[in-house]
């Protein structure tokens, strides 16, 4: 079946612009996660959606970052007024129910801020 | 919060040899420990996971062991092949802010020389 789909695969933008990154989770998965991976580093948790519950935003690095999940499926991560330190690969994962269920990742969006 | 340490950061082995990667975690409430393999330009792929009610799990050439008392877990790859070359990440689930998000180690770059 189809895995987690992310778009765009690459995004280059100028400092100060806003960007939107999209994630399509595996069909039927109620939990959706966003992570950030900086060059040569591990994955840093950003935000977690579980069903209709309020999202866990505890990993968002600043108020320039926000995310929403419409209809319990597709999610969009928005970064406003981008800075060079926002350059990274943004990864999305989904799992069947959360609560320690296996997370399956997409291939990410590579974001470069000039 | 949870902290996951992973060693070594790089590992080079000859084809056919075994490879061992070790991780420690800090939060005794963690009860789920997945391992991911990441190839260049791809998202992390789940290769094996273990829950805290078992001490060892095997899947063909891959095995994971868990010592809850010492708070460490290890990945063992036997009969390594060149296609095992990749970056491997360990993770532990953290329940501090939500129903659980993963905290990752910084990764081990495994090179298998033919």
């Amino acid at each position: 079946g189809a895995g987690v789909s992310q778009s765009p695969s690459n995004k280059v933008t100028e400092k100060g612009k806003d960007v939107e990154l999209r994630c399509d989770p595996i069909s039927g998965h109620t939990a959706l996660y966003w992570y950030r991976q900086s060059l040569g580093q591990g994955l840093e948790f950003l935000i977690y959606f579980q069903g209709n519950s309020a999202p866990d935003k505890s990993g968002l690095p600043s108020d320039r970052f926000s995310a929403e999940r419409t209809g319990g499926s597709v999610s969009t991560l928005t970064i406003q007024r981008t800075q060079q330190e926002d350059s990274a690969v943004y990864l999305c994962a989904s799992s069947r129910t959360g609560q320690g269920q296996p997370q399956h990742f997409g291939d990410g969006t590579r974001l470069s801020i000039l | 919060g949870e902290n996951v340490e992973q060693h070594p950061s790089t590992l080079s082995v000859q084809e056919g040899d075994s490879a061992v990667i070790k991780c420690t975690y800090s939060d005794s409430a963690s009860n789920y420990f997945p391992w991911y393999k990441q190839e260049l330009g791809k998202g992390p792929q789940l290769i094996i996971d273990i829950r805290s009610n078992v001490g060892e799990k095997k899947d063909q050439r891959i095995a994971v062991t868990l010592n809850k008392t010492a708070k460490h877990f290890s990945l063992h790859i036997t009969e390594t092949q060149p296609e095992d070359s990749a970056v491997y990440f360990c993770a532990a689930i953290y329940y501090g802010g939500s129903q659980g998000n993963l905290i990752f180690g910084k990764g081990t770059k495994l090179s298998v020389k033919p």
Side-chain angles (χ1 to χ4, degrees), chain A residues 33 35 37 40-43 45 48 50 53 56 58 91 97-107 110, chain B residues 31-32 36 38 41-46 49 51 89 93 95 97-107:
Chain A
Y33 309 78
Y35 294 86
Q37 186 174 30
Q41 297 295 310
L43 284 75
F45 166 72
Y48 165 36
Q50 171 56 53
S53 303
D56 174 4
S58 60
L91 290 157
T97 62
Q99 294 185 347
Q101 292 300 305
Q103 295 183 25
H104 301 277
F105 283 82
D107 285 336
R110 183 175 299 277
Chain B
N31 61 2
Y32 174 67
Y36 287 86
Q38 188 174 30
K42 298 288 189 182
Q45 177 190 5
L46 179 68
D49 56 11
R51 299 189 185 276
F89 291 97
I93 193 162
Y95 292 102
S98 69
Q99 296 185 56
N101 60 272
L102 295 177
I103 304 297
F104 285 82
K106 292 199 182 303

Side-chain angles (χ1 to χ4, degrees), chain B residues 82-98:
Chain B
E83 51 265 38
D84 294 330
S85 296
V87 179
Y88 291 80
F89 291 97
C90 63
I93 193 162
Y94 174 62
Y95 292 102
S98 69

